[in-house]
Every structure is written in structure tokens, then in C-alpha cells.
Amino acid sequence: MHRFAYKSLLASLLLGSSLSLAAPPPAYRQEVVVAGSPFQGVHGMALDGKGHLLASNLLGQSVHSIDLNSGAVSTLVGPPLGGADDVALGPDGSIYWTGYFSGKLMKRTPDGKTRAIAKELPGLNSLAFRRDGRFYVTQLGRADALWEVDPNGKKPPRQVISKPGFLNGFEFGTDDKLYGPILLKGQIARVDVDTGSIETVAEGFAMPVAANFDSSRENLFVVDSAKGELVRVRVATGDKQVVAKLPTGLDNLVVGPDDQVYVSNMVDNDIRVVNPADGSVRQLVEARLSVPSGIAVAPEDEDEQLYVADVYALRRVGGRDGKITQTTRALSTRMTFPMNVSLGAKHVVLSSAYLASVQVLERATGDILRTLPNTNGVQGALELPDGTLLVAEAATGRLVKVDAAEPAGTTVLAEGLKGPVGLAADTEAEEPGVYVTEVRSGNVTRVRLSDGARRTVAKGLKAPEGIARHPDGGLIVAEVGRKQLVRIDPATGRSTVLARNLRIGLPESEGLPPGYLPTGVAVGRSGTIYLTSDMESALYRFVPVP
């Protein structure tokens, strides 16, 4: 099991004064609520034949090597070059990986040289070599195609098939045909890459996402993400047998020469090893959170239960004890990948630039009430007292209002913002408004809800993202560019540094809006501040020191 060592420390505090706050803010003691992980959601894998497993980390923008004996994780390629959805080893020992957001196919030679060998292929997903060295990749989600690519990048990619139905994690058989899942059809298919013909091998899956051969080359192991099953398929007949039951959210697999099956799970951010002989499962790398981003806490909650937008899941985490009490999982439910979360009196509001949507959930039951597509790089979203939604479009620089009624109408409240990311409501004021962090300009801006009039509250910050209101009226902001937590007096704009040298702020990725994975901030009624760490997949709290 991979663990990190963390030490409680006293966050540094600068002297500051405030005209509107009754007293200077206290010093804070930093503590771990949920310890971190080496990944931000783990995806495709490959064995290097030397006792290590290569693993791709899309949102963490890294390619990792894992020791098969100890589970120790090291980084082969770090941010921002390593944004990998799948990874493969070439015949000469080069490592190849697919940039889902960047649309780039990357190559790292054995001497450590890294470059893109194909570009402008959004949604690049799976990849595999044929026995003769020919190289194939797919687009999935943002496009739907199978391509042949020159492993040296000298020739332009050649499209083999257009719109196969989302061909996912695949492998070539001894017949030099490609075997893999057609996700939209729930099938495992055989693809002749020379003619483009597709045949069905097996069907009846809910969400097949990857398939690899066993050592006999007569059977395929298939992972069904929605059902959480590892299934053995006999290629000659299409007969299926469930080998092991696993948590939902499975993403990929690789089969060792001893037929041990390594399975990645993006929701749980872990890798498990299945022995198909008896169905037993052990963990190679484990985690508690996947990609903690936005965070919220109800102001009336004495227990300070946190809602964590964990990208591949929505989780409830005890702010005091770190216990995860409830998880709504992506892929096996209708929930899209949440990157931001806010709470209303009856509803939870999620937003996702990853899958371009805003969702409204019933707070009591978790039922999804509305899903609203938005392709403008949505970041923060919150619900106003009348049910209207307020949404920050980081890509367009707009703050928009979405009607509570269906069909939803949209009104632009403010525009010209520079990468709006975080929102904090100020609806109890005489002139109700909302505070907005602008990651590009470094401003915290107040926008009046009645007419969109703007006032700069603070400026000179570097990449401010998450924002929350303290019970005494102060604003707590994650200043990601300086890796610190600051407190802002909304009347004077004066800021006070509460904590420095924080592990926050992965580099922004091509294909996602300003703010990328937002660093979330929430404040409980006790005055404890909660902060997510995208770099460590961890959750921290800052407790006031008496």
C-alpha cells in the first residue's frame, strides 16, 4: 500500500488589519483530513517486463511506474507533458501515451527524449501495437475514430474507421486483428485494420471499456465499468464467465504472463490484482480520494460534513474525522464528472467542464433532478434562493443565470470576466450579489445580482480559484499561483496570508478551461477552513488556534 507521510504544522500568519472585521484572524493549525494518493485517477496500464507496471494519469498529467512487489510508485513523466489516458511500450522500448484533452500522441524514447508524434486528435484514448510494429490509436468521446499512426511521427495519421461506436481499450490477437469493446453497443468486436470490417465477438455488456488476451490467446479478459465485473470471454464462441466482482468505475486492465489481471479503477483511484484461478483480489495501489476539487459544507451543519466534488465521484466526508460516509459514483450512475459543488437549502449543484454540464441533485436523496449541457468551460455554479442557477463560464468570461423552470432559459448577468472560477453568494446583503474569483486577472470581483454591476474587491492575486465566506464575513481564497491560502476583507480588499507552501495548483491542461482542476475552499460554522489538494489528491483542514 502506498502512503505519504504528513506532519501537522502551524500555518504562517502575517499581521493585517481590517476595518470591517471585529478582530484580526487567528493563526491556523494545518491538519490532514484525508491523506493523499500518487494518482489523480488512474487509467491505462502496460507491463514493462522488468517487474514494473506503467500507469497513465490523465488529470494528474503524469505517467508512472509501479513496483509490482512493493506497490511503490514513481513518476516517469510529470506535468504538463504526461497527461495520459492510455500508455503502451513500443518494440524499441519507447513509451507512448495518449493526451485525451491535448489531442496529442506522445512518445518518450529510452534515452528520455519526449515529443508529440501526432497532434489535433481530440479525445485520444487507447493505443496498441500490432506484431509487425504497426501502431493504432482511437478517439473516444470528443471524436469517434480509429487511426493508424507512424510510431516515429514522420507520416501523417491515417484514419482506418470513422464512428465505430467508441472503440476502447484493445489488443491485437495472433490473427493480427484488433479485439476490443465497442462501448456504445455493449459489444466486444474483432476489427480488421486492413479492410475496416468489424465483427461481433460477444455482446450483452453494460459498459465494456477494455479487453486483453490471456496467455493462451484464446480468451479475452474484459472489464465492465458499469457492472464492476471482470469477465472472461472465449473468443471462438463468445461465451462469457464472470471471473471477479469489483467496484464500479473500472477503466482499464493489463494481463501478466502468469495471467494475473491488473485492473485500474478511476473512481477509487486504485489498482487491484485479480487471480482468475479463484477470483481473489488484492490491492496493489490504494487511495481514498481520486481528484478532490470543489468542496462545500452546509453552514448549519455542526458536524461539518463535506461534499467533495471528486471528479469521478461525489463524496460525503466527515470534516472532523475524515470518514467517507457516502459516495455517488460516475459511470454507474447518471452523474457526470463533478469538478465543482455548492449547496442550496434543498439541492446540491454540480458542474463539470470535463463533461460540459451542470447538474442539480436532491440534497436529501442524491437523486439527479436536472442535467444542463454547457460547453463554455463551466466552473463554479450555485443556486440562488429563488431556484435560479448562477454559472461561471471560464472559457467565455461570462456569469450566466439559468432559469429554475424547464425548459431552462439563460441570461448573461456579466461578461468580460477573466477566467471566472469560484463563486461565493452574498444574497443576504441589502444589494444581493456574488463574489467571483478571476484566475486570469487575479481579481476577486463582486457582481450585483440585480443588474450585473461589478466592483473589484481585491486585485493583485495570482490565480485565485476556490472562495468561501467565513462566518464573520471575511472571504477565504485559495491563491493557487502563490500556493497559499488568503483571507480578504470584502470592504477594504486587504488580504492576510493564512498558510503558505501548499501543495495546490497542477498546471493547466490544453482542452480544459482556465482554472483546470479548481482548488476548493469551504468554511465550517466552527471557523475551520477546508481545502482540497489537486497535486496530492488530499483534503486538509485549517483549525483556528485559540
Side-chain angles (χ1 to χ4, degrees), residues 189-236:
R190 178 190 297 110
V191 180
D192 187 323
V193 296
D194 294 317
T195 66
S197 64
I198 301 177
E199 302 173 278
T200 300
V201 173
E203 51 192 345
F205 296 92
M207 188 182 290
V209 290
N212 273 192
F213 282 95
D214 67 5
S215 58
S216 75
R217 312 298 288 180
E218 296 177 354
N219 302 298
L220 283 165
F221 286 113
V222 178
V223 284
D224 190 320
S225 186
K227 290 184 177 180
E229 293 178 345
L230 176 65
V231 181
R232 182 190 286 112
V233 174
R234 184 160 180 77
V235 174

Side-chain angles (χ1 to χ4, degrees), residues 132-150:
D132 58 5
R134 292 168 66 183
F135 190 33
Y136 295 83
V137 299
T138 55
Q139 291 172 285
L140 188 150
R142 298 189 169 196
D144 183 12
L146 173 67
W147 296 81
E148 181 177 0
V149 178
D150 177 3

Side-chain angles (χ1 to χ4, degrees), residues 18 43 83 93 126 162 208-209 231 258 263 266-267 284 297 304 307 329 333 353 357 418 443 448 465 474 487 501 515:
S18 170
H43 303 281
S126 298
S162 175
V209 290
V231 181
D258 56 358
V263 181
M266 69 169 78
V267 175
L284 180 64
V297 59
E304 299 188 0
Y307 290 73
R329 309 171 75 86
T333 71
S357 68
K418 306 299 182 182
N443 292 347
R448 193 163 58 198
E465 292 183 359
R487 180 188 185 105
N501 301 318

Side-chain angles (χ1 to χ4, degrees), residues 386-419:
D386 64 357
T388 300
L389 297 177
L390 199 60
V391 179
E393 297 181 346
T396 64
R398 304 189 309 180
L399 195 60
V400 300
K401 297 169 71 174
V402 182
D403 296 342
E406 295 284 5
T410 299
T411 304
V412 177
L413 178 64
E415 52 190 338
L417 300 168
K418 306 299 182 182

Side-chain angles (χ1 to χ4, degrees), residues 144-304:
D144 183 12
L146 173 67
W147 296 81
E148 181 177 0
V149 178
D150 177 3
N152 296 311
K154 295 180 180 180
K155 300 177 182 178
R158 176 183 70 88
Q159 189 176 94
V160 178
I161 302 174
S162 175
K163 298 182 179 180
F166 294 169
L167 177 61
N168 212 343
F170 51 78
E171 187 177 23
F172 280 92
T174 55
D175 57 0
D176 286 335
K177 294 182 179 179
L178 185 153
Y179 291 78
I182 305 293
L183 196 150
L184 295 182
K185 298 179 181 179
Q187 298 175 345
I188 301 300
R190 178 190 297 110
V191 180
D192 187 323
V193 296
D194 294 317
T195 66
S197 64
I198 301 177
E199 302 173 278
T200 300
V201 173
E203 51 192 345
F205 296 92
M207 188 182 290
V209 290
N212 273 192
F213 282 95
D214 67 5
S215 58
S216 75
R217 312 298 288 180
E218 296 177 354
N219 302 298
L220 283 165
F221 286 113
V222 178
V223 284
D224 190 320
S225 186
K227 290 184 177 180
E229 293 178 345
L230 176 65
V231 181
R232 182 190 286 112
V233 174
R234 184 160 180 77
V235 174
T237 64
D239 292 341
K240 299 184 298 181
Q241 177 192 8
V242 175
V243 173
K245 288 289 293 183
L246 298 158
T248 60
L250 308 176
D251 186 83
N252 218 312
L253 82 164
V254 64
V255 183
D258 56 358
D259 278 342
Q260 299 292 293
V261 184
Y262 300 84
V263 181
S264 64
N265 188 312
M266 69 169 78
V267 175
D268 290 326
N269 199 18
D270 66 10
I271 298 173
R272 304 182 191 217
V273 188
V274 180
N275 182 352
D278 58 12
S280 61
V281 181
R282 64 178 176 87
Q283 284 193 307
L284 180 64
V285 182
E286 63 179 308
R288 296 187 62 211
L289 297 175
S290 51
V291 199
S293 299
I295 188 173
V297 59
E300 72 278 4
D301 184 0
E302 293 184 359
D303 295 329
E304 299 188 0

